[in-house]
Amino acid sequence: MKIRTFGLLGLIAVMLLSACGKQSSPSLEGSSWILSELNGQTVLDDPLVTLSFTNGQLNGSDGCNRYGGSYTVQGSQITVDKDIFSTLMACEEGIMQQASAFLNALTSAVQYEIKDDQLSLLAETGTVLAVFTAQSQDLAGSSWIVTGFNNGAEAVVSPLLDTEITLTFDADGKLSGKACNSFFGSYETASGTLNISQMGRTEMFCVEPEGIMQQEDQVLAALASAATYRVDGNSLEIRTAGDAIAVSLIKAP
């Protein structure tokens, strides 16, 4: 009986250790990263190469085009679907070469490691293919320029020619910006959610270009509809509760 009991306890211990080993790999779900090293070499500082994981899907920018695809994880093993899709913009040769090498590394990865704020993708041989640093999702102290907004008619449009719309998130939970008028409000963030409230603006009337006042109304309405957000490299995307794009922005110089 003692031998059998010992054998049973040993089996349980092995099972528990195995389970703990599987659980020890930090989850990729909801994480965002910026590429810092590719095939043992440092990467271009600009444009940034990004990678995000959400609900079994990965996406980001390869430095030239937006890309996306699916992935699966088992323990610390990762499989990226080789049918990665991307936009078809052309960029400078060096950027295009890096983008191609990055997507190849991404689809070749079979294992991942997360240590502190660093993600490494590894080949089957254990060679490190790519290294990333964690992308901060903190909006406090950041300034942005609007590149697109929901016009309230189920369309995302660009700002009018020769106009600029800015947005700044202060560290004290206040936001401010400039369209025709200066505007202001309060914001709260938590785990990817964004609530903008108490919006107000000055009362200047602008005439040119035509439609600028309507544009301001639409931008403020779009900001008020914010429900979620994601920072991706130098881009910020704010979405509604229905997951429609409310406002898209790039980081101000």
Side-chain angles (χ1 to χ4, degrees), residues 194-197 199 218-227 238 240 246-247:
L194 173 63
N195 178 52
I196 295 177
S197 60
M199 294 287 289
Q218 292 170 349
V219 169
L220 294 183
L223 287 171
S225 72
I238 298 174
T240 68
V247 188

Side-chain angles (χ1 to χ4, degrees), residues 94-117:
I95 295 174
M96 295 293 286
Q97 289 177 347
Q98 178 176 276
S100 178
F102 166 69
L103 293 179
N104 183 62
L106 189 61
T107 55
S108 299
V110 299
Q111 186 177 356
Y112 76 92
E113 295 177 351
I114 297 178
K115 186 176 181 181
D116 299 326
D117 291 329

Side-chain angles (χ1 to χ4, degrees), residues 4-232:
R4 290 180 180 178
T5 301
F6 177 79
L8 179 60
L9 290 174
L11 177 60
I12 293 173
V14 170
M15 292 174 66
L16 288 174
L17 287 172
S18 177
C20 288
K22 289 183 179 179
Q23 293 175 355
S24 63
S25 300
S27 174
L28 291 172
E29 176 61 28
S31 64
S32 296
W33 308 88
I34 297 175
L35 183 67
S36 58
E37 184 179 303
L38 181 62
N39 296 322
Q41 303 293 322
T42 55
V43 297
L44 301 172
D45 292 332
D46 184 37
L48 297 176
V49 177
T50 62
L51 173 62
S52 296
F53 299 90
T54 308
N55 298 325
Q57 299 293 310
L58 55 81
N59 61 79
S61 170
D62 63 14
C64 180
N65 287 282
R66 298 292 304 176
Y67 70 88
S70 59
Y71 75 98
T72 55
V73 164
Q74 184 175 7
S76 62
Q77 295 180 331
I78 183 171
T79 301
V80 177
D81 192 330
K82 295 190 183 300
D83 293 330
I84 295 284
F85 61 87
S86 71
T87 53
L88 299 173
M89 287 178 56
C91 299
E92 295 178 8
E93 184 177 354
I95 295 174
M96 295 293 286
Q97 289 177 347
Q98 178 176 276
S100 178
F102 166 69
L103 293 179
N104 183 62
L106 189 61
T107 55
S108 299
V110 299
Q111 186 177 356
Y112 76 92
E113 295 177 351
I114 297 178
K115 186 176 181 181
D116 299 326
D117 291 329
Q118 190 173 83
L119 165 67
S120 298
L121 298 181
L122 290 78
E124 192 170 359
T125 59
T127 302
V128 176
L129 299 171
V131 179
F132 304 79
T133 54
Q135 165 76 71
S136 173
Q137 294 296 312
D138 188 8
L139 293 179
S142 64
S143 296
W144 306 86
I145 298 172
V146 173
T147 57
F149 58 92
N150 194 311
N151 66 0
E154 300 184 351
V156 176
V157 297
S158 300
L160 295 169
L161 190 64
D162 296 326
T163 66
E164 183 177 82
I165 306 164
T166 62
L167 179 63
T168 296
F169 296 92
D170 294 335
D172 60 357
K174 302 295 183 182
L175 63 82
S176 60
K178 183 82 165 59
C180 163
N181 285 280
S182 296
F183 60 87
F184 46 86
S186 299
Y187 75 96
E188 294 179 329
T189 60
S191 302
T193 63
L194 173 63
N195 178 52
I196 295 177
S197 60
Q198 301 177 335
M199 294 287 289
R201 56 178 156 175
T202 55
E203 298 182 354
M204 208 168 78
F205 184 80
C206 298
V207 177
E208 295 181 345
E210 183 179 352
I212 189 171
M213 294 305 296
Q214 182 183 27
Q215 172 177 269
E216 181 174 279
D217 290 340
Q218 292 170 349
V219 169
L220 294 183
L223 287 171
S225 72
T228 62
Y229 77 98
R230 178 178 288 277
V231 178
D232 182 29

